[in-house]
Amino acid sequence: MADLTDDEIERQVRLIEDATRRPLSTSADDDESDDRPISSTTKYLLIGGTIVFVILFVIFLFSWDALTPIQYGILYNSVTKQIHTDQVYEAGRHLVGPFNRFIPFPRTLVTIEFSNAPDVNSKPLDTRTREGLALSLALSFQYVLNSTQLIHMYTEFNKGYEQTFIRIARESILKSVGDYIATDWFSNRKAIAANILSVLQSELSKAGCNVQMVQLLNIGLPASWEGSIEETQIEQQNVKKSQFQQQAVVIRAQTRLVTSEAESNITAIMASASANATQILNTADMQGFSNTQRLTAAALTTFTKTLKFTPANLAKYMKVQAIVNHDGSALTWSIPREALPLV
């Protein structure tokens, strides 16, 4: 390595000193810059950024809406005054965006009632029976909304959809019950209620309403006619009572007849059994007597042959045996006069 001259050595020393002093001077410059005030532009940017953040945060907080477990919902924009037709929302909390809110609809059973009770939907239905009698009909029915038709229903009827249901129900019921006579409302009440239910289901389903049940609450007819109906019903009950009594008499007579026939059958069976038993016993006695006589004859034949008895000897032997085997107290013996001793 060549030797450095004094000028070169001095120049390198100055470079090293400059390199050592430069950071110190930079730090000093920074300290001086920290003491300088923030410019107005920077302040405005910071304030504007903070405001924008707060606004966005508030918008985010108000972009949520919720539905209870017994509600459906359609999304409505309060600025454009339009609904979102792409979806029906169910229970829960949803991110809906700014200026959007749910229009809630019930998903449980809802009752519509036509009666004079307080806080009901409508007054009783006034109509006439087929024969022209005035009829005041109080009834109620329950429905649930069809979620698949909810948007169409709101588009057609807005929030007054239930008034539309009431109008359709009133017209349908009045049209369907006009064919019944007065007595049908007492004798065929269940059939009438079933027919009303069928009519309501058919008509209200077109409007997005599924009817589930119908109840006939009160049937009002003229008082004079109701009195005659009551008397008629009592007479009909009396007729039925008499019919039941006649049936009871017939049943009792049939019971006695069956009992008599059974007793006669039992008597005939017992007589037949007794006769059969007597015949069997007589046959057995005859058979026994016949066997006894046959065996006795065979024994006498054998006895006669063995002892070589003549018929006269055999007769004497049998006479002697009869006397020996007979009870002496009841024995009468005939002795010829010639055999008596002379005194």
Side-chain angles (χ1 to χ4, degrees), residues 89-285:
Y89 293 82
E90 296 190 356
R93 183 172 293 275
H94 304 271
L95 180 62
V96 297
F99 309 110
N100 290 324
R101 286 294 175 266
F102 284 129
I103 301 174
F105 296 89
R107 62 184 301 173
T108 56
L109 281 174
V110 181
T111 298
I112 291 179
E113 182 173 333
F114 299 89
S115 73
N116 288 319
D119 301 326
V120 298
N121 304 94
S122 183
K123 296 296 182 181
L125 303 177
D126 293 325
T127 182
R128 289 186 177 275
T129 62
R130 191 169 66 187
E131 62 265 51
L133 292 173
L135 173 66
S136 177
L137 179 61
L139 60 84
S140 64
F141 66 89
Q142 289 74 39
Y143 72 88
V144 292
L145 295 176
N146 187 343
S147 62
T148 60
Q149 295 181 267
L150 204 58
I151 294 175
H152 174 73
M153 182 194 72
Y154 183 80
T155 303
E156 292 291 328
F157 312 122
N158 207 289
K159 292 184 179 180
Y161 63 89
E162 191 165 273
Q163 292 302 318
T164 302
F165 294 166
I166 294 173
R167 176 181 57 80
I168 295 174
R170 180 186 294 109
E171 294 174 356
S172 302
I173 294 171
L174 292 177
K175 183 178 179 180
S176 65
V177 301
D179 294 332
Y180 295 103
I181 62 176
T183 54
D184 289 338
W185 292 97
F186 296 91
S187 59
N188 295 323
R189 188 164 179 164
K190 289 184 178 180
I192 294 175
N195 181 52
I196 293 175
L197 175 61
S198 176
V199 170
L200 290 178
Q201 288 175 336
S202 175
E203 295 299 325
L204 289 178
S205 63
K206 303 173 185 177
C209 170
N210 295 331
V211 179
Q212 305 293 314
M213 294 174 285
V214 170
Q215 300 84 35
L216 298 181
L217 304 178
N218 185 54
I219 300 169
L221 289 165
S224 59
W225 190 89
E226 287 186 354
S228 63
I229 280 294
E230 183 177 352
E231 294 176 358
T232 303
Q233 293 291 327
I234 292 174
E235 290 300 324
Q236 290 178 352
Q237 291 178 359
N238 290 334
V239 170
K240 289 183 178 179
K241 182 179 179 181
S242 299
Q243 291 175 348
F244 290 148
Q245 290 175 347
Q246 292 176 358
Q247 291 177 359
V249 171
V250 172
I251 290 173
R252 284 195 292 268
Q254 290 176 346
T255 302
R256 288 195 296 269
L257 178 61
V258 171
T259 303
S260 176
E261 291 177 351
E263 291 177 350
S264 298
N265 292 333
I266 292 172
T267 302
I269 292 171
M270 292 296 294
S272 176
S274 178
N276 291 335
T278 302
Q279 182 180 1
I280 291 170
L281 290 174
N282 291 337
T283 302
D285 290 340

Side-chain angles (χ1 to χ4, degrees), residues 295-306:
L295 293 175
T296 302
L300 290 175
T301 301
T302 303
F303 181 74
T304 302
K305 290 180 179 181
T306 303

Side-chain angles (χ1 to χ4, degrees), residues 23-83:
L24 295 175
S25 62
T26 302
S27 175
D29 292 340
D30 292 340
D31 292 339
E32 291 176 0
S33 64
D34 291 339
D35 294 336
R36 292 198 301 269
I38 300 175
S39 65
S40 59
T41 303
T42 304
K43 288 182 180 180
Y44 292 146
L45 290 174
L46 291 174
I47 294 172
T50 303
I51 293 173
V52 170
F53 175 78
V54 172
I55 292 173
L56 292 176
F57 183 73
V58 172
I59 291 174
F60 177 78
L61 290 180
F62 284 90
S63 295
W64 293 84
D65 202 2
L67 294 169
T68 67
I70 58 173
Q71 289 179 327
Y72 293 118
I74 295 177
L75 202 58
Y76 173 77
N77 190 285
S78 59
V79 175
T80 63
K81 308 299 181 182
Q82 300 292 324
I83 62 171

